[in-house]
Amino acid sequence: MIRFEVIDATFNLRRKNAIKNWINEIILSKNRKTGSVNYLFASDDYVLDVNRQYLGHDYYTDIITFDTSGYGTISPGKKPENILSADIVISLDTVLANSSTYGTTFSAELYRVMAHGILHLLDFDDHTELERARMRDAEDQALKLLPEFGLGEDQVYHSTK
């Protein structure tokens, strides 16, 4: 099950069912199943607090992905095979700023970041140049699926900063 929640920001995610179907397709395309995936959309300040509290990082970021696939299992630490579960925290402020920096729309950047979090859970990383290129290619492939689900330039966010 995929859920969406907004914390301390004014944002209305549009086309939720279509987005759920799109995310499910990304997961299924890598031979995995969707467990409990929770997207939390928030302000920069909220995400900074999460980054500090749980990761010990003192900087802003667009996304933080917590793999929860092994939580609640009979054997702690052992992930259920092929079932992907996560809590994904996204900074709407940073996504908006990055859309300007990268010369894209808010919708395009938001969908890229949403896919990025899922791809991390599907064993894509972005620490080296080669990993970043592989991640970018996987993101691009995920974004190419958007029209199949009727998704495009449909998301709007206005920062209060």
Side-chain angles (χ1 to χ4, degrees), residues 23-24 42 48 57 59 66 75 98 116 121 123 130 145 148:
I23 295 296
N24 276 320
L48 178 61
H57 300 159
Y59 54 81
F66 296 101
S75 302
N98 286 348
H116 184 92
L121 299 165
D123 300 323
L130 182 61
L145 297 173
E148 292 179 33

Side-chain angles (χ1 to χ4, degrees), residues 67-81:
D67 185 348
T68 60
S69 298
Y71 292 179
T73 61
I74 294 172
S75 302
K78 183 176 181 188
K79 296 180 186 179
E81 287 189 37

